[in-house]
Amino acid sequence: MYGSEKSISTSSEGGPAMMAQEYCCASADEGAESGPHVPFVLERREKEEESWRTAVSHQLKKQCTCSSERAKAQVLGFVPILKWLPRYQLKDWILGDVMSGLIVGILLVPQSIAYSLLAGQDPIYGLYTSFFSSIIYTLLGTSRHISVGIFGVLCLLVGQVVDRELALAGYITESIRNNATLGLGMGNSTGGPVCDRSCYAIMVGTTVTFTAGVYQVLMGLLQVGFVSVYLSDSLLSGFATGASLTILTSQVKYLLGLELPRAQGWGSLIKTWVSLFQNLGQTNLCDLVTSMVCLAVLVPTKELNDRFKAKLKAPIPFELFVVIAATLASHFGHFEEEYGSKVAGAIPTGFLPPQLPSWSLIPNVAVDAFSIAIVGFAITVSLSEMFAKKHGYVVDPNQEMYAIGFCNILPSFFRCFTTSAALTKTLVKESTGCQTQMSGLVTALVLLLVLLVISPLFYSLQRCVLAVIILVNLRGALLKFTDVPRMWRVNRLDAAIWLVTMATSALINTELGLLVGVMVSAFCVLGRTQRVQALELGRAGHRELYEDLASYKGLQSQPGVAIFRYEAPIYYANQSLFKKALYRCLGLDPVKEKARRRKLEKHRRKQEEVAMTTGGEGGTKGKEKELTTTTKVFLPNQVNFHSVVIDCSPVLFLDTAGVNALKEVYKDYKENGVQVFLAQCNTSVLESLNRGGYYPEKGMGEKERVFFTISDAVLYAQSLSSQNGDCDTSC
C-alpha cells in the first residue's frame, strides 16, 4: 500500500529531503515513459499495543498510589484557596476585592429577598442561600471572578417543584405564614403535614437542593465535567430566555396584587395568563400603583447604569434605594392594614438550627433535581470559562462541579435552596475591580450584617416591589429577542436551536425545554453529516492545490481522472448518502450501469437465439455485428474518466459501515473498468481501512489504492492508464 506508513524514514539514502525532491520532480510524462508513477512513501513508526488488562492495571496503580506529594496535590486541588491565598498580593488586590465584594453584597440584599419569592420561600432563606454559597465557593471554586448565589432560572425550577409538592401535601393556596412555628415540627394525630406551609416549602426546597448537589458531586467524581461542551451557547441562551418569560409571567400576579396558585404541568405560561385575565377585576390598586412607580424608577436607572458603566467606578444600587423607600412608604402609609397589600412579613434575625433534608421526598424530586443540577453546573462552568479566558487563567470543570455541588449540599442543612453562578452579579463583580474570590468573603460579611441586624426592618416591604426587582433583572435575557435577526443571518441552525429551546421552555415546560434543546442540537450535528457538500475538484494551475470546480474559476480537470471530496465522516448513518453523492457527482452509478449491461446482455442473447433459429449467412453476419456492438458497451458515452480519486482529508473517521461502503465503491467501479484511489487519509482512517479489510490479502498490486497526496494519486492513475494504453496498442 502506498502512503500507509506515517513517519518519515531517515535511514534511506538521501533522507526525506531527497525523497521529497524526487516526489516534486515526478510528472505524468515521466510515468508514461518509465512505468507507473512512484509516489511519496512514509515509513510508519511501530507502536506496541497495550492490552486492556495492562492499561487497567496501570491506571489503578496510578490512581491508588499514595505519597505525601500526591496527598498534598489532592488537598490543594480540592481546596484551591490553600493554593492561591499564600500568594495573595495584599497591596495590589485588597482594594478591588473589598470594593467589588461590598457592591455585590449591597445588590444581593434586595435580590435575595426578591428571588425567595420566585422559589416559593420566605425572604430569610434567600439571604441564607446567598451567604453560605459565597463562603463555600470562595473555598472550593477555581474561578476568580464569578459570583455564586441565587439565579433566577434555578429559583423558577425550584419554585415549580415546591408548589407541586405543596399541592400534593394539601396546601392549595398561599396562606399567611406563621413564623412562630418556622422550622418546628408539628405532628398531628391524623398523620398530615408535620409543619406549616412555610416549613414544608423550605423542606421541599432543601431536599431538591441536597439531591441536586449530590448529583453534581457524583458527576465530579466520575470526571464528567466535559458534558458542558454539549450545551451550546445558543441552547443555554434560548433556555434562559424561555425561562425568563415564565418568570415574568409568574410575577405578574404580584404586580397586580392577585392571590393565585401557580399553574402546574405543561403549558403553565398559557394557563397563568388565562387565570390572570379571568381575575383581572380583583386587582389591588395599591400594589398596581406601587409596581408602576417602581418600574418607572428602576427601568431608566438601570439603563443609566449600563450606559455610563465605563465612567462609573461602581454601579449605583438603585434597587436598594427603591427597597428602602418602598419599605418606609408601606410602613408609614399602613399599606397592609389600609389597602390589603401583601408584604414580606416578619424576617427573623440570626440563624436557625440545622436540619436534615426529608429523605422520603427524594424519590419525588429526584428527576427534577437532575435537570436543576445540569442547568446549574452548565451555567457555572460556562461563565467561569468565559471570564477565565478573558483574564488569562484556567479553571477546572470537574473542580467547578465539586464546588457548585457542595454549594448546594452543605447549605441545604441550613435551609437554603439551589445556587449557581449569576451573570449580572459576575459582571458587576468584574467591573468593580475583583481580583480573587476574597471578594466573596466580603459579600458574605455584608449579608451577615443584614442577617444579624437589619433583616427585621424589611417587614413592611411589599411583595410587588420584590416582583418589580425580579422583572427588571430579566431585562438582559428578554433583550435576546432583538438578537434573533442577527443570529439568523450568522447561522440559521444556531438560531433555530435558540428558537425551539426558547419556545419549548416557555410554552410547554421549562425542564422539557432543556431536553428538547439538547436533542435538537444533537440532531443538527447529525444532520450536518447527512447534508454535506459532495464536490468535484480541479487543480489550480501547476500548484498542488485542488478545490471545488463549481466554487472557483480557473481550475483545471485532470485528463481521465475524476477527483471527488466528501466533507464529512463516513459512518453507518450516511454511508448510503455518500455513495449516492459520489455517483451523482461523477455521473456514473455503477450499480445502474451493471443492471444496464445485464439488460443489454440479455437482449443480445435473445437476438443470438433468434439468429440461430433463422440460420443462414445473414443470421451469422448479424450475430457477429451484434457481438461487436455489445462488447463495446462498457461505459456511458458521457463518462470521460478511467480513474476516481477520493480526497479523504475531511473524513475524520470511518466505522465498519463506512469501510464497507468504500469497498463496495471500489468493487462496483472496478467491474465497470474504473479504478478508485484514496488520498490524504489521516491515521485513524488508515487504521480503520486496515482493520476493516479494505486491502486484499493477495496481490500486492491491489494494495496500490491509498496515497498521501492527491497529486500522487492522479499521477499514478494517469501513468497506469498510459501504460495500459501502450500495452493495448502493442498487442
Side-chain angles (χ1 to χ4, degrees), residues 20-37:
Q21 185 178 4
E22 292 173 357
Y23 161 73
C24 294
C25 294
S27 65
D29 294 336
E30 292 173 352
E33 295 175 0
S34 58
H37 169 73

Side-chain angles (χ1 to χ4, degrees), residues 26 74 92 117 126 217 286-287 347 425 549 606 641:
Q74 289 290 334
D92 297 332
L117 192 68
V217 171
C286 179
D287 285 342
I347 304 177
K425 291 184 283 291
L549 286 169
K606 186 176 181 181
F641 57 85

Side-chain angles (χ1 to χ4, degrees), residues 500-713:
V500 171
T501 307
M502 181 275 300
T504 308
S505 301
L507 300 178
I508 302 178
N509 182 269
T510 308
E511 295 91 341
L512 183 65
L514 182 65
L515 178 61
V516 169
V518 172
M519 293 178 63
V520 170
S521 297
F523 280 123
C524 285
V525 173
L526 184 63
R528 290 178 182 181
T529 66
Q530 305 293 302
R531 299 175 59 86
V532 298
Q533 289 186 316
L535 312 175
E536 185 175 2
L537 307 184
R539 184 172 181 175
H542 297 289
R543 298 177 181 273
E544 294 181 12
L545 175 65
Y546 293 83
E547 287 299 337
D548 180 25
L549 286 169
S551 300
Y552 298 96
K553 299 178 180 179
L555 299 180
Q556 301 173 355
S557 301
Q558 299 301 297
V561 180
I563 308 170
F564 174 78
R565 176 186 292 165
Y566 190 71
E567 297 187 333
I570 305 173
Y571 63 111
Y572 71 94
N574 70 347
Q575 51 90 16
S576 61
L577 298 176
F578 159 74
K579 291 189 289 186
K580 290 179 181 178
L582 174 64
Y583 301 157
R584 184 172 58 251
C585 183
L586 301 183
L588 173 61
D589 187 336
V591 178
K592 292 182 179 179
E593 179 63 21
K594 189 175 181 179
R596 186 179 72 89
R597 291 173 58 194
R598 285 179 179 175
K599 185 177 181 181
L600 290 174
E601 181 68 19
K602 184 178 180 181
H603 181 66
R604 183 183 66 83
R605 288 179 181 176
K606 186 176 181 181
Q607 288 184 341
E608 284 181 356
E609 292 176 358
V610 172
M612 291 291 292
T613 55
T614 56
E617 185 178 352
T620 304
K621 290 182 179 179
K623 176 183 176 182
E624 292 176 353
K625 182 178 180 181
E626 178 64 25
L627 181 62
T628 304
T629 304
T630 54
T631 54
K632 291 181 181 179
V633 177
F634 194 67
L635 291 176
N637 294 329
Q638 67 269 24
V639 175
N640 56 357
F641 57 85
H642 52 73
S643 302
V644 175
V645 175
I646 301 177
D647 176 16
C648 296
S649 57
V651 180
L652 300 180
F653 65 87
L654 295 172
D655 66 355
T656 304
V659 175
N660 290 335
L662 290 175
K663 290 164 71 175
E664 291 172 10
V665 167
Y666 179 85
K667 177 177 175 293
D668 292 341
Y669 270 120
K670 187 177 180 181
E671 290 177 354
N672 286 274
V674 177
Q675 295 293 325
V676 176
F677 304 101
L678 307 182
Q680 302 191 132
C681 300
N682 61 41
T683 307
S684 172
V685 171
L686 290 175
E687 291 178 353
S688 298
L689 292 172
N690 190 31
R691 290 194 301 267
Y694 183 75
Y695 314 110
E697 296 294 334
K698 297 181 180 180
M700 292 300 293
E702 294 292 333
K703 287 192 175 184
E704 298 165 359
R705 300 185 189 178
V706 181
F707 299 84
F708 273 95
T709 66
I710 298 177
S711 295
D712 268 345

Side-chain angles (χ1 to χ4, degrees), residues 108-117 123-124 127 254 286-287 290 294 298 319-332 335-336 341-347 454-469:
L108 268 177
V109 172
Q111 290 186 14
S112 298
I113 297 174
Y115 280 110
S116 300
L117 192 68
I124 188 65
L127 295 171
Y254 297 109
C286 179
D287 285 342
T290 304
C294 292
L298 284 178
E319 291 174 352
L320 185 61
F321 299 157
V322 167
V323 165
I324 294 172
T327 303
L328 292 174
S330 176
H331 176 74
F332 291 106
F335 290 171
E336 182 183 15
S341 181
K342 300 298 181 183
V343 297
I347 304 177
I454 304 174
S455 56
L457 301 178
F458 295 111
Y459 176 92
S460 299
L461 178 62
Q462 292 169 272
R463 292 189 188 179
C464 64
V465 177
L466 301 177
V468 168
I469 293 174

Side-chain angles (χ1 to χ4, degrees), residues 382-400:
S382 299
L383 287 180
S384 61
E385 289 183 342
M386 180 176 71
F387 284 93
K389 185 183 295 184
K390 182 177 180 180
H391 292 276
Y393 61 93
V394 179
V395 295
D396 182 1
N398 288 310
Q399 181 59 30
E400 289 296 298

Side-chain angles (χ1 to χ4, degrees), residues 419-438:
T419 59
S420 74
L423 178 60
T424 53
K425 291 184 283 291
T426 301
L427 291 172
V428 170
K429 196 172 181 179
E430 181 205 26
S431 63
T432 51
C434 173
Q435 298 294 329
T436 67
Q437 280 299 333
M438 187 65 73

Side-chain angles (χ1 to χ4, degrees), residues 32 98 108 153 171 198 202 204 210 242 246 303 312 347-348 502 561 643 651 671 683 699:
V98 169
L108 268 177
V153 175
Y171 299 104
S198 172
I202 191 58
V204 175
F210 175 82
T246 305
E303 289 292 336
L312 294 172
I347 304 177
M502 181 275 300
V561 180
S643 302
V651 180
E671 290 177 354
T683 307

